[in-house]
């Protein structure tokens, strides 16, 4: 649960000024991993977890950032903000400010309070939620309006160029553009999308393995490099192929011997995952939940074996869900190497499913997981004063 009224009270007490409050959700990716930076397809949904940003103007030339989660405040001169990351949580809002400044906007003096309940390092995109909430708050303060796809791209740039993470566009896009009760099939090439309704009879059960990942780490970066290596090999023979979005399994048959074995495996995952993701959206649109579940299962095997971005705990979480009542499909979600699994479950069985999966996982691994029953939420927005709490 996140509580705008509580953040308003915190901000008012700390800074003495009435804030405007914005919320940006985290996300769960139902299918389509490591396809976004290959200009492919992804199918995420926003979830109930979010980051809140409370902002108010100042008159002393300072930008003051406060995190309720870290119980820490940092001050900067608005006219000379840091030009590079420091490895601190402030990198995420400062990165947004750096990109906005690069777009020609003068960064004013303000106080910004952040608070969120998106679990850090869980694969539910806490960083994108911070970026989008910050961007909405600051652009509102300076009275600048960006179309939501453009805002998402600016936030992606802040993470790529300032924070130093080579993430694709998916996380920021779904946080900014989500529609309640829908997944979103996003074409990462041109940012067009289709909504795929999630039936009211289906719950999103998110199971946190409690194994944290960091997408600024070496594993994520090496996987992306291997994907790009494979695309470059194919492009030598087919110059029109700039990204694996345009490649086929036939290309791997023809030119795979010119790639490193790891690049070949990564490419096979990305190419087949693109096909699965489009098929999964069609299955959801046509209410073919059996086919959706089959595609999710296939996607997890590919993610674990070809992309090698799973881990023992995540594989166990997926395995242990398979024979539980109500399961439609289960797979590891997010950047990989830990984090959460997403389980589509018949709503009537969701609580029983969550309890049983938690017990099984704890017995298998000795780790007590966090398991949440969620629904697909709407995208980032300004929080109305009348809203007291959102669950």
């Amino acid at each position: 649960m996140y509580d705008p009224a509580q953040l308003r009270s915190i901000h008012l007490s700390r800074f003495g000024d009435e804030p405007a409050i914005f919320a940006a959700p985290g996300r769960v990716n139902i299918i389509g991993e490591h396809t976004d930076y290959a200009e492919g397809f992804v199918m995420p949904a926003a979830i109930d977890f979010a980051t809140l940003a409370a902002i108010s103007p100042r008159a002393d030339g300072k930008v003051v950032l406060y995190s309720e989660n870290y119980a820490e405040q940092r001050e900067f001169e608005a006219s000379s903000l840091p030009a590079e990351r420091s490895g601190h949580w402030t990198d995420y809002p400062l990165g947004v400010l750096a990109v906005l400044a690069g777009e020609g906007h003068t960064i004013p003096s303000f106080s910004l309070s952040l608070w969120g309940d998106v679990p850090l390092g869980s694969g539910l995109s806490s960083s994108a939620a911070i970026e989008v909430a910050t961007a909405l708050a600051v652009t509102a303060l300076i009275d600048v309006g960006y179309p939501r796809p453009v805002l998402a791209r600016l936030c992606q740039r802040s993470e790529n160029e300032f924070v130093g993470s080579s993430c694709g566009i998916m996380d920021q896009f779904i946080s900014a553009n989500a529609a309640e009760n829908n997944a979103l099939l996003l074409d990462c090439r041109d940012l067009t999308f289709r909504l795929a309704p999630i039936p009211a009879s289906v719950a999103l059960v998110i199971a946190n393995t409690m194994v944290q990942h960091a997408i600024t780490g070496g594993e994520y970066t090496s996987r992306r490099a291997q994907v790009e290596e494979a695309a470059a090999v194919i492009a030598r023979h087919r110059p029109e192929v700039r990204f694996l979005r345009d490649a086929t399994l036939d290309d791997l048959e023809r030119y795979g011997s010119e790639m490193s074995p790891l690049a070949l495996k990564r490419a096979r995952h990305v190419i087949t995952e693109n096909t699965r993701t489009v098929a999964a959206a069609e299955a959801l649109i046509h209410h073919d939940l059996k086919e959706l579940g089959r595609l999710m299962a296939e996607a997890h095997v590919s993610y674990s074996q070809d992309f090698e971005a799973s881990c023992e705990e995540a594989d166990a979480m997926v395995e242990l869900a398979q024979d539980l009542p109500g399961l439609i499909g289960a797979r590891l979600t997010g950047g990989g190497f830990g984090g959460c699994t997403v389980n589509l479950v018949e709503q009537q069985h969701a609580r029983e499913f969550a309890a049983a999966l938690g017990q099984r996982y704890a017995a298998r691994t000795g780790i007590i997981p966090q398991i949440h029953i969620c629904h697909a939420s709407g995208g980032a927005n300004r929080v109305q004063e009348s809203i007291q709490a959102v669950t």
Side-chain angles (χ1 to χ4, degrees), residues 22-26 51-53 92-93 96 100 112 114 125-140 148-156 158-159 169-178 379-382:
F22 300 82
T51 290
L52 296 176
Y92 293 98
V96 172
L100 289 174
L112 183 75
L114 296 168
S125 196
S126 57
S127 59
I130 294 170
E131 291 153 1
V132 172
T134 299
L136 276 184
V138 174
T139 54
R148 289 303 181 87
V150 177
L151 187 80
R153 186 68 84 185
L154 293 174
C155 290
Q156 180 204 12
S158 76
E159 191 151 346
I169 188 64
M170 172 178 65
D171 296 353
Q172 294 83 4
F173 194 93
I174 187 64
S175 186
N177 296 277
N381 63 94
R382 181 167 182 165

Side-chain angles (χ1 to χ4, degrees), residues 26-84:
R27 66 98 186 95
V28 65
N29 193 24
I30 295 174
I31 193 168
E33 301 298 356
H34 289 264
T35 51
D36 53 353
Y37 53 77
E39 291 201 350
F41 296 91
V42 293
M43 194 171 73
I47 54 175
D48 309 80
F49 298 111
T51 290
L52 296 176
I55 193 168
S56 61
R58 298 175 67 93
D60 60 359
K62 295 185 180 299
V63 167
V64 182
L65 305 176
Y66 171 70
S67 167
E68 175 67 9
N69 295 86
Y70 290 102
E72 186 177 25
Q73 180 173 307
R74 289 288 180 93
E75 296 186 2
F76 306 89
E77 294 295 328
S79 60
S80 58
L81 292 169
E84 57 186 28

Side-chain angles (χ1 to χ4, degrees), residues 362-375:
R364 169 77 67 88
T365 66
I367 302 170
I368 298 175
Q370 293 176 348
I371 300 183
H372 309 278
I373 301 172
C374 297
H375 82 286

